[in-house]
Amino acid sequence: MVDSMAKNAPLSRSREDYLAHIYRIQAVGHNVNTGEVAQHLGVTPASTSAMFKRLAQEGLVNYKSYSGVSLTEEGERAASHVVRRHRVIERFLTDILGIGWERVDEFANRMEHAMPDEVLEAIERLLGGPDTCPHGYPIPSEEGKLAVATGQPVEALVAGEWAVIRHVDESDTELLRHLRERGLVPGTLLQVAETNLIDGTRTLRIGDSTLVVGQRIARALFVDRVVDDA
Amino acid sequence: MVDSMAKNAPLSRSREDYLAHIYRIQAVGHNVNTGEVAQHLGVTPASTSAMFKRLAQEGLVNYKSYSGVSLTEEGERAASHVVRRHRVIERFLTDILGIGWERVDEFANRMEHAMPDEVLEAIERLLGGPDTCPHGYPIPSEEGKLAVATGQPVEALVAGEWAVIRHVDESDTELLRHLRERGLVPGTLLQVAETNLIDGTRTLRIGDSTLVVGQRIARALFVDRVVDDA
DNA sequence: TAGATGAGTTAGTCAAGTCTAACTCTGAGC
DNA sequence: GCTCAGAGTTAGACTTGACTAACTCATCTA
């Protein structure tokens, strides 16, 4: 909007971090509020407010005091490039280097700002054009449209329903290790055998085996329902 | 020396850049002067002076006004880690991703600060423990000793002498492309057939072919003499 | 509908790293 | 040995992005 922006000056590391996080929140359909962004980025709400103002001035977000932000078209393009880099790097780390999926988010956070486009493209070719990150989130296209993640938490299913894991919450390292060890990864088909509404646990059937998972897992696993054709 | 340093706080990107460049200059046996560092890093001599003072205070370099700097043991360790990262990344970019050696220095400059140790180790395993960067410079060991680059410019050879290319100056993209296209890469055996002291050109024999190179190349190719046993 | 409460914002400060402009040192040449 | 050009340094200002402390707004409850 405001044309005070230098043509294509690269965004600062900090701006990239803010934009990418805003993007991720918008991609799951939530409102973006200051405190949440501040907490995720490990800064104070005051710093976040200040950055929102700067980003708004540069035409990257729409911002009105006390009512949150949203990405402008330009902001969405910029943010999606960062998220794209992040997710391709994660894929690279797991698929080529064999690093555990519970650690790649952190590593990608550091690497995503310093990855030249040409290098990213070469990595994508090597990977054969992956569609999702290891945790199941879609890799945004080059064009930079918001890539919306479908799926709802296992928590929302009732006993008897079938579903496929789409993506898993990647913020908790311990949990991720847990999930991997139990085969709870994107693409896995499962059935909710039983729901215990008192303690929040779910009994899941996966292939021939049965698994009882607590509420934390039931909230971290995002699935799409599958109609049972059997 | 001065223990005002926080134990193992990671170095800033800026410090890493300065230290790495000082390391490279020391590794070819030259004195480190302010202007040269400033020019290479694209900052003013004033900024460089200021940084030298900071680094000295932190025990990373020995610094006395008007007489240059040298790395302390701690500085050498820190710098060699950065250079190590840089050179392993270059190898990765050329050998795994197939990027031309004339571009990898620039890319590695950006990536070297954001590469977690675990990722670097995984890349090294994938590469099979390379000894040198694509331009022929030694990859420092984990221990962080200064890795001295041997070799002298082709310019220093006289007609008739045999030599093996050890490393090539990596600062000029155009020149690097040129060299690669002519097979003037590390490991190549050559003989100086003729030296023209008037225009500075050299005629080189490589295998069955003959190549006339100008002074710029004769200064950018670093070789070790080989005794002619024939 | 008036507080109260908590989220969000503003004001002022700080540190890192850069710059320009002015100053100082070193050493090469006479 | 002296001078002076150029390399190096100091001083002071600026930018970015963070912080704390104090303020303001929105909303939920009574």
Side-chain angles (χ1 to χ4, degrees), chain B residues 122 176 209 223:
Chain B
L176 278 175
S209 61
V223 300

Side-chain angles (χ1 to χ4, degrees), chain A residues 12 14-15 18 44 46-47 54 66:
Chain A
S12 68
S14 209
R15 278 166 174 70
Y18 281 95
T44 60
S47 306
R54 255 167 287 176
Y66 297 101

Side-chain angles (χ1 to χ4, degrees), chain B residues 18-24 26-27 32 55 59-62 69-80 146:
Chain B
Y18 281 94
L19 289 175
H21 193 58
I22 295 170
Y23 180 100
R24 273 181 263 249
Q26 285 195 186
V32 181
L55 292 174
L60 295 165
V61 301
N62 306 115
V69 293
S70 64
L71 294 168
T72 63
E73 208 170 310
E74 190 187 339
E76 194 172 304
R77 217 176 311 124
S80 88
L146 190 72

Side-chain angles (χ1 to χ4, degrees), chain B residues 96-114:
Chain B
I96 309 287
L97 297 186
I99 295 174
W101 80 341
E102 65 273 16
R103 323 186 59 197
V104 298
D105 182 59
E106 179 205 331
F107 292 164
N109 274 335
R110 294 174 53 187
M111 298 171 68
E112 68 193 3
H113 305 290

Side-chain angles (χ1 to χ4, degrees), chain B residues 205-223:
Chain B
R205 252 200 285 280
I206 302 167
D208 293 333
S209 61
T210 294
L211 207 59
V212 179
V213 301
Q215 197 170 48
R216 247 179 69 243
I217 288 184
R219 283 182 179 164
L221 278 183
F222 290 81
V223 300

